[in-house]
Amino acid sequence: MSDSGFIGEVAAVGVAGQALIDADSDVEAVAQWLAEYGESPQTQRAYRREAERLLLWLDAEGRRLGEVDRQCLARFEAFLADPVPRAQWVGPTKPRHDPAWRPMRGPLSPASRRQSLVILQGMFSWLVEAGWVAHNPFRLMRDKSRRLNNQAPRVERYLEQPLWEWFWRWLHRPLPSDSSRACFERARQRIIFAFAYLLAPRISEMAGAQMGDFHRREGRWWWQVVGKGGKLAHVPVPDDFLVYLAQWRKTLGLAPLPEHEESTPLLRALDGKRAIGDNQLYRLIRKSFKDAARALEEQEGETAYVAALQSATPHWLRHTAITHQAQAGVSLRYLAESARHSRLETTSRYLHTEAQQWHDEQQRHRLSQAPSLDGL
């Protein structure tokens, strides 16, 4: 891959039809679509990744966006499942300007392929409205309702309650060393996971959190956050979080609870002062999950739980937090408020109670002579 950047990677192409946007190439048209998400940096980065993959693949195919048809989409989806030649498309994480950079880390899972197509479907809808392409090829897909419906299936990427409880105990294991650095890193690790589990933030919201975002109003503590789409929200802070916040602040040499408008970072680098960015926070969380997976494997823990920890990403924490709140009986209305979902349908994906009740009811249907599992 060239290191000339996204714009330089794909050749300029002509406009299909009467464009309503000021663009001279597919790349410029897509850049204008991405600019619509400027107030949601995380969303913008995710959408940029999917659009970039498509544009680079089309460039290799010698096609333009306006030439994408149903058969082309089928080939692209097959490519996402098996990106060949691998040397051209697959590689480890590198800076975008590095010659060794590749657009993919490996084949995409069915869920990731589906998400990619959902994003690109929206991109094509915008490009049709902008007059850049004449049609949206996704509308020709017969199985569109199965794969491209924005109503995603029930959330499954979360840590089940027993696994989370084991993981939380693991975070409180004895320190291998009583050095100041080891104590700092353990305290930071605990506040990261307490924050993620108790308040269900997105990773950008965690990295950007300030001490003063936690404030008391009429005797109760709230977390003020500007989330996805630039929406301001105030989320109730559980008392358990205040315990770990106080412990973290003690590690930093601060008073137990934040002062009014205390404009310093919540999560900090090893110097105890500088903030940490999204990428560093992502790596810290992933490392914790992988370390925990190795520890559980050494304890000969359940194989499925070891695999879950090995696969877990920071966003699993948000899923875990919302799912466990639902299982604890938090009502759908308040669950949606805490998760800051714009639609209740999104929150309902985290409700597993019906499935559990269905499973319990199904146990009424029995075989008269069936032995018990305990006896096998």
Side-chain angles (χ1 to χ4, degrees), residues 334-370:
Y334 292 122
L335 194 63
E337 290 284 346
S338 294
R340 287 159 288 120
H341 290 150
S342 57
R343 298 188 305 170
L344 284 178
E345 290 86 349
T346 303
T347 313
S348 66
R349 295 163 49 206
Y350 296 86
L351 303 181
H352 297 256
T353 307
E354 278 192 10
Q356 294 165 359
Q357 291 174 345
W358 180 17
H359 197 282
D360 290 342
E361 291 291 321
Q362 193 72 6
Q363 303 313 311
R364 299 172 183 270
H365 187 49
R366 306 296 301 274
L367 290 168
S368 59
Q369 300 298 322

Side-chain angles (χ1 to χ4, degrees), residues 58-360:
L58 287 175
D59 188 54
E61 292 268 305
R63 283 177 175 260
R64 304 180 309 217
L65 284 172
E67 297 171 325
V68 175
D69 55 21
R70 177 66 183 85
Q71 291 71 33
C72 183
L73 282 181
R75 292 198 305 277
F76 178 67
E77 185 174 10
F79 160 77
L80 293 177
D82 184 20
V84 292
R86 290 182 68 88
Q88 177 181 347
W89 297 103
V90 178
T93 301
K94 296 285 185 181
R96 184 60 183 79
H97 60 273
D98 192 305
W101 176 88
R102 297 294 183 270
M104 302 180 72
R105 307 285 78 78
L108 298 191
S109 67
S112 295
R113 295 199 300 272
R114 177 191 169 281
Q115 182 64 16
S116 178
L117 296 177
V118 167
I119 292 169
L120 295 174
Q121 179 191 24
M123 182 187 78
F124 267 95
S125 293
W126 188 91
L127 292 173
V128 169
E129 293 298 320
W132 187 258
V133 296
H135 72 288
N136 186 341
F138 288 90
R139 297 181 65 85
L140 302 177
M141 300 177 79
R142 290 185 61 193
D143 54 356
K144 176 170 173 264
S145 62
R146 175 174 64 85
R147 291 191 294 143
L148 301 183
N149 191 326
N150 285 324
Q151 297 275 349
R154 179 177 289 130
V155 168
E156 302 292 350
R157 293 179 295 172
Y158 70 99
L159 304 184
E160 294 181 11
Q161 192 79 44
L163 177 55
W164 169 260
E165 290 173 358
W166 177 89
F167 179 75
W168 190 244
R169 290 194 302 272
W170 177 80
L171 289 177
H172 290 75
R173 69 199 184 282
L175 279 168
S177 157
D178 60 357
S179 70
S180 58
R181 173 166 178 164
C183 293
F184 179 92
E185 290 181 331
R186 178 61 61 82
R188 182 173 66 180
Q189 189 180 46
R190 287 176 181 171
I191 190 64
I192 286 172
F193 284 95
F195 188 10
Y197 182 72
L198 293 171
L199 289 162
R202 298 174 176 90
I203 192 166
S204 60
E205 296 165 353
M206 293 179 70
Q210 300 277 312
M211 289 290 187
D213 293 340
F214 301 91
H215 60 279
R216 185 159 39 196
R217 190 175 67 214
E218 296 184 358
R220 299 174 185 267
W221 283 87
W222 298 81
W223 172 42
Q224 177 178 296
V225 56
V226 177
K228 196 173 182 179
K231 295 177 182 176
L232 176 65
H234 292 84
V235 181
V237 175
D239 290 345
D240 286 357
F241 176 76
L242 296 176
V243 172
Y244 284 91
L245 178 59
Q247 290 179 3
W248 171 235
R249 287 177 60 85
K250 181 179 179 181
T251 300
L252 297 173
L254 302 173
L257 296 172
E259 301 293 335
H260 179 62
E261 296 184 351
E262 188 175 336
S263 58
T264 55
L266 172 68
L267 304 179
R268 306 189 186 186
L270 289 174
D271 64 3
K273 297 178 180 179
R274 290 180 295 113
I276 59 177
D278 297 11
N279 290 337
Q280 184 180 357
L281 180 57
Y282 183 97
R283 291 194 298 270
L284 286 171
I285 293 172
R286 283 283 283 163
K287 184 179 185 304
S288 295
F289 279 140
K290 289 184 178 296
D291 289 346
R294 283 193 293 271
L296 186 57
E297 191 171 29
E298 289 171 1
Q299 296 175 18
E300 298 183 351
E302 188 173 329
T303 304
Y305 284 170
V306 173
L309 288 170
Q310 289 171 337
S311 302
T313 67
H315 205 63
W316 280 45
L317 286 169
R318 179 169 162 82
H319 290 174
T320 299
I322 299 170
T323 298
H324 289 187
Q325 286 181 52
Q327 291 173 341
V330 177
S331 68
L332 182 61
R333 172 191 169 189
Y334 292 122
L335 194 63
E337 290 284 346
S338 294
R340 287 159 288 120
H341 290 150
S342 57
R343 298 188 305 170
L344 284 178
E345 290 86 349
T346 303
T347 313
S348 66
R349 295 163 49 206
Y350 296 86
L351 303 181
H352 297 256
T353 307
E354 278 192 10
Q356 294 165 359
Q357 291 174 345
W358 180 17
H359 197 282
D360 290 342

